[in-house]
């Protein structure tokens, strides 16, 4: 089973700042890495798939990069609605599909 | 509008059984692989199971294999999860989730989620 480790666990930033979230895989997932956003009381929402492709309707301030074992989700300028928990997920070797533990982006 | 509505979550004793249901609407249900994903309140996400669009194959996380059974009724646009031999560690919010890819092009990516149904295993 591929283990995904996200860092940091929490990130305190102000609106307008840049957020950089990391996801590391225990073995190569090529570019089969996705990112989801989850706000309190809501289901997760797909943001990025295949490492760098934005899902339908996702603003351009969200971008993803990486391949192999190291991936990054960048939010170029945080909007108030971006404060949430972010999860990475791999689909290269499944089942099982696996998620990272999440990074909480908090308002500073 | 695409909708997934889960039901069936209750408080159940350890060792008990439960059947979750998910009613789908707003898309061609029998074109899509469906998943169950769970989340302990305040914790992370765990993929539980999937069933292919035609019901021909099913897959499970090791943590539930042999205890849970996923099924679907395409004539009723419904997905199910039969949960047996429940344990305290099965306590979670269970989401019904649609795969992004149609038929043989399923991708293991999740584009639509229900709001979840809460299962609590406690004596």
């Amino acid at each position: 089973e591929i283990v995904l480790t996200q860092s940091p666990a929490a990130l305190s930033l102000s609106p307008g700042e840049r957020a950089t979230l990391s996801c590391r895989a225990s073995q190569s997932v090529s570019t089969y890495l996705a990112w989801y956003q989850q706000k309190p009381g809501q289901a997760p929402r797909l943001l990025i798939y295949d490492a760098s492709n934005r899902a339908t309707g996702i603003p351009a301030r969200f971008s993803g990069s990486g391949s192999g074992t190291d991936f990054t989700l960048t939010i170029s300028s945080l909007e108030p609605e971006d404060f949430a928990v972010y999860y990475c997920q791999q689909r290269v070797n499944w089942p099982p599909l696996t998620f990272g533990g999440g990074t909480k982006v908090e308002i500073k | 509008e695409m909708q997934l509505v889960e039901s069936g979550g209750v408080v159940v004793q350890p060792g008990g059984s439960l059947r979750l249901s998910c009613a789908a609407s707003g898309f061609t249900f029998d074109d899509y692989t469906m998943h169950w994903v769970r989340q302990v309140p305040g914790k992370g996400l765990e993929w539980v199971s999937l069933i292919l669009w035609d019901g021909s194959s099913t897959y499970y996380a090791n943590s539930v294999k042999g205890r849970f059974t996923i099924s679907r009724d395409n004539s009723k646009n419904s997905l199910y999860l039969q949960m047996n031999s429940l344990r305290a560690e099965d306590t979670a919010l269970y989401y019904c989730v649609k795969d992004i890819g149609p038929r043989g092009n399923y991708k293991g990516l999740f584009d639509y989620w229900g709001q979840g149904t809460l299962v609590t295993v406690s004596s």
Side-chain angles (χ1 to χ4, degrees), chain B:
Chain B
E1 181 192 358
M2 205 171 297
Q3 271 202 314
L4 297 168
V5 180
E6 303 93 337
S7 62
V10 291
V11 178
V12 61
Q13 291 192 337
S17 298
L18 200 55
R19 189 196 199 203
L20 305 183
S21 299
C22 171
S25 60
F27 66 102
T28 306
F29 182 71
D30 59 7
D31 271 351
Y32 290 92
T33 289
M34 297 294 295
H35 305 258
W36 288 98
V37 174
R38 69 184 180 183
Q39 184 172 36
V40 175
K43 302 296 183 183
L45 300 164
E46 180 187 16
W47 173 81
V48 172
S49 181
L50 75 86
I51 184 167
L52 296 189
W53 74 100
D54 58 358
S56 61
S57 291
T58 59
Y59 299 91
Y60 299 92
N62 285 338
S63 58
V64 307
K65 199 174 296 182
R67 300 187 298 123
F68 290 10
T69 302
I70 191 172
S71 62
R72 64 191 297 161
D73 185 338
N74 286 344
S75 68
K76 295 182 178 179
N77 289 348
S78 292
L79 177 72
Y80 306 102
L81 186 67
Q82 178 66 42
M83 309 164 70
N84 297 331
S85 303
L86 282 161
R87 306 167 180 168
E89 54 265 36
D90 296 319
T91 294
L93 187 65
Y94 284 74
Y95 291 105
C96 168
V97 189
K98 175 185 166 292
D99 197 282
I100 200 170
R103 294 193 170 249
N105 198 31
Y106 58 95
K107 294 188 179 296
L109 286 171
F110 313 117
D111 63 347
Y112 282 93
W113 301 61
Q115 286 304 302
T117 187
L118 183 62
V119 173
T120 304
V121 184
S122 174
S123 54

Side-chain angles (χ1 to χ4, degrees), chain A residues 8-38:
Chain A
L11 199 52
S12 292
L13 295 167
S14 300
E17 288 194 296
R18 182 183 190 91
T20 303
L21 287 65
S22 174
C23 178
R24 176 164 290 178
S26 59
Q27 63 190 78
S28 177
V29 299
S30 183
T31 56
Y32 293 109
L33 195 286
W35 292 92
Y36 296 81
Q37 176 194 64
Q38 187 177 32

Side-chain angles (χ1 to χ4, degrees), chain A residues 1-6 23-30 33 67-71 88-90 92-93 96 98-100:
Chain A
E1 173 176 323
I2 294 176
V3 176
L4 300 177
T5 302
Q6 292 186 241
C23 178
R24 176 164 290 178
S26 59
Q27 63 190 78
S28 177
V29 299
S30 183
L33 195 286
S67 65
T69 60
D70 290 294
F71 299 86
C88 57
Q89 177 238 329
Q90 68 81 23
V92 72
N93 185 12
T98 55
F99 293 89

